[in-house]
Amino acid sequence: MAGKADAHEEIGINTRLAHMGPGPSERHGFVNPGIQRGSTVLFPNAQVMRSESQKYTYGTHGTPTTDALCEALNELEGSAGTLLLPSGLAAVTLPFIACLSAGDHMLMVDSVYAPARRFCENVLKRLGIEVDYYDPAIGIGLESLIKPNTRLVHMEAPASNTFEMQDVGAMAAVAKRHGCVVTMDNTWATPLYFRPLDHGVDISMHAATKYPSGHSDILMGTVSANAETWERLKAANRDFGLCVTADDAYQILRGLRTMGVRLAHHMDSALDIAHWLEGRADVAEVLHPGLTSFPGHALWKRDFKGASGVFSFVLKADRPEDWTRKAQAFLNALTYFGLGYSWGGYESLAVHVYLGDRRICKGPTTGPIIRLQIGLEDVKDLKADLERGFAAVREA
Ligand SMILES: *Cc1c(COP(=O)(O)O)cnc(C)c1O
């Protein structure tokens, strides 16, 4: 984007998304970059091959297409370097392996994306790494859980499924004072609505599968690191050899161009529906950080620039033995909301949330929890769909 605008001018996010990256003059005027597929890269002679002076050397180490995406993400995250990995889960777990050794201890938020907890229990513990879980609301009380061998603190805010917020800046400062690496899963907010590295986090991870893809057709994870941790991460991934295809990198780069307008639409529709749900007699609670009634609202308002389109609500149901039947009646009556995992695409989705793996932060006890991904459909049609769900619950 250099040279296109005065460096001191405050450039809006949608303008940045539209113009970031190398200009069209470098590709014969075509607006979009090409897709460079490849494993083998040829060297002009044996001396250059030996000298490691050539920019591209082998497909797993990057291509112009994957670099274009990494540079765009570095600009959005304020990071020194970004890794592209085959899934969001790989992006969350690779930094743990890169930063932890046998005998180390890590602190993991109890409301974490469930497969990340499974990785800690199945893989890290087997490798001799101790893991303790903390309450997302702990704040600077985190300090009391830090041991002499604590090396890493992982955060995720808002939490998966229940959306608890964390005081990221204060907690990161405490962790850093004790020499820990601080990692954060920032998938929900995207770097458009929250920039973890500006709040003291070392490594920001994303499931690019969600909003950056935006169309439920690409799986990718990204890990963006500050200068202190970047070399260590890059070295770890050189050992693993994890990479993505140029075609997928191109699609994520394409998704970023429209992510600002898509997110704004997801945000407005989701807040509209969240407010509407909050006023209903058949809803016990709405779990959305953008609602003033939500316990984490003040932190969200202080730190975040916006909210994405995923939140949960609790169906009012007094007797726990009715919960599953009522949740299933609700879901089965929906037509526009698909029943499926993941989110961030253009289409709405709904799931019955399972919190059985939680230890500390057990979530609401007022009824079954339904998570909604609000897509780009018209809000009135989505509300009519949800009305069908509530009618089915009343009959169940
Ligand atoms: C979906 C998700 C992931 C994993 O992404 P995949 O690409 O599906 O592996 C990680 N973290 C969060 C918060 C997610 O929602």
Side-chain angles (χ1 to χ4, degrees):
M1 202 158 59
K4 282 188 191 157
D6 184 323
H8 300 291
E9 186 180 314
E10 186 64 41
I11 305 164
I13 189 63
N14 289 308
T15 309
R16 287 171 58 199
L17 290 171
H19 292 279
M20 65 190 176
S25 63
E26 291 173 37
R27 41 180 186 265
H28 312 286
F30 284 96
V31 170
N32 287 299
I35 298 175
Q36 183 60 63
R37 298 193 185 94
S39 51
T40 298
V41 181
L42 298 178
F43 299 85
N45 57 51
Q47 289 83 344
V48 171
M49 190 174 195
R50 187 70 193 253
S51 72
E52 294 181 15
S53 61
Q54 184 165 298
K55 181 164 184 191
Y56 295 104
T57 55
Y58 191 60
T60 55
H61 304 155
T63 66
T65 315
T66 57
D67 275 0
L69 176 55
C70 291
E71 281 160 26
L73 293 169
N74 287 336
E75 182 178 333
L76 295 176
E77 291 274 355
S79 49
T82 291
L83 293 175
L84 306 179
L85 303 175
S87 70
L89 182 57
V92 176
T93 56
L94 181 93
F96 302 161
I97 289 290
C99 300
L100 294 167
S101 304
D104 288 347
H105 172 245
M106 101 175 245
L107 286 169
M108 167 60 99
V109 65
D110 191 47
S111 50
V112 71
Y113 175 66
R117 180 198 306 270
R118 207 172 54 213
F119 180 84
C120 292
E121 295 299 307
N122 291 347
V123 181
L124 294 184
K125 289 195 172 172
R126 183 166 49 76
L127 299 179
I129 295 156
E130 270 182 274
V131 184
D132 279 324
Y133 297 88
Y134 67 87
D135 187 330
I138 197 167
I140 55 172
L142 182 76
E143 189 151 29
S144 67
L145 301 180
I146 295 178
K147 306 194 211 182
N149 61 337
T150 309
R151 296 280 176 268
L152 192 146
V153 174
H154 180 69
M155 304 192 200
E156 182 184 333
S160 274
N161 299 318
T162 44
F163 303 91
E164 291 86 352
M165 295 297 300
Q166 295 191 246
D167 191 342
V168 177
M171 293 168 69
V174 164
K176 296 300 285 280
R177 206 157 58 233
H178 291 269
C180 300
V181 170
V182 181
T183 60
M184 180 172 176
D185 186 330
N186 191 35
T187 300
W188 184 86
T190 84
L192 272 51
Y193 291 161
F194 187 71
R195 298 211 327 167
L197 273 53
D198 291 350
H199 296 259
V201 171
D202 295 299
I203 300 171
S204 167
M205 309 97 145
H206 288 271
T209 306
K210 309 288 168 60
Y211 292 110
S213 161
H215 295 76
S216 309
D217 53 359
I218 307 284
L219 290 159
M220 194 184 293
T222 68
V223 183
S224 296
N226 60 10
E228 275 167 86
T229 52
W230 168 239
E231 290 302 330
R232 191 165 10 157
L233 271 179
K234 193 167 78 171
N237 195 43
R238 229 175 152 75
D239 295 334
F240 278 101
L242 297 172
C243 55
V244 305
T245 65
D247 298 78
D248 285 351
Y250 178 88
Q251 292 291 358
I252 297 296
L253 200 53
R254 187 182 201 265
L256 289 181
R257 304 293 186 189
T258 58
M259 193 165 78
V261 290
R262 285 188 285 108
L263 273 175
H265 192 99
H266 287 294
M267 168 162 61
D268 290 348
S269 300
L271 274 168
D272 182 335
I273 291 171
H275 280 120
W276 174 76
L277 288 171
E278 206 176 19
R280 296 186 63 99
D282 35 19
V283 170
E285 289 174 65
V286 181
L287 314 177
H288 188 311
L291 297 181
T292 51
S293 59
F294 190 69
H297 178 71
L299 284 175
W300 173 79
K301 205 171 166 184
R302 186 190 72 187
D303 293 343
F304 285 55
K305 287 208 182 91
S308 59
V310 187
F311 68 96
S312 294
F313 71 94
V314 185
L315 267 177
K316 195 176 276 175
D318 297 332
R319 304 182 324 156
E321 57 270 32
D322 294 339
W323 288 5
T324 301
R325 187 167 45 84
K326 291 198 170 187
Q328 291 179 352
F330 182 86
L331 294 176
N332 288 339
L334 303 173
T335 56
Y336 297 126
F337 283 86
L339 309 187
Y341 295 109
S342 204
W343 40 266
Y346 54 85
E347 82 293 15
S348 291
L349 298 170
V351 291
H352 179 194
V353 167
Y354 169 78
L355 298 178
D357 60 339
R358 297 279 181 92
R359 296 165 188 204
I360 304 156
C361 174
K362 296 201 182 283
T365 51
T366 43
I369 306 171
I370 307 285
R371 187 186 76 192
L372 299 178
Q373 126 89 3
I374 304 301
L376 301 177
E377 302 95 331
D378 294 301
V379 166
K380 73 170 177 40
D381 298 325
L382 296 179
K383 285 181 181 169
D385 210 20
L386 296 170
E387 284 286 10
R388 284 188 277 275
F390 289 117
V393 173
R394 287 192 292 275
E395 281 158 28

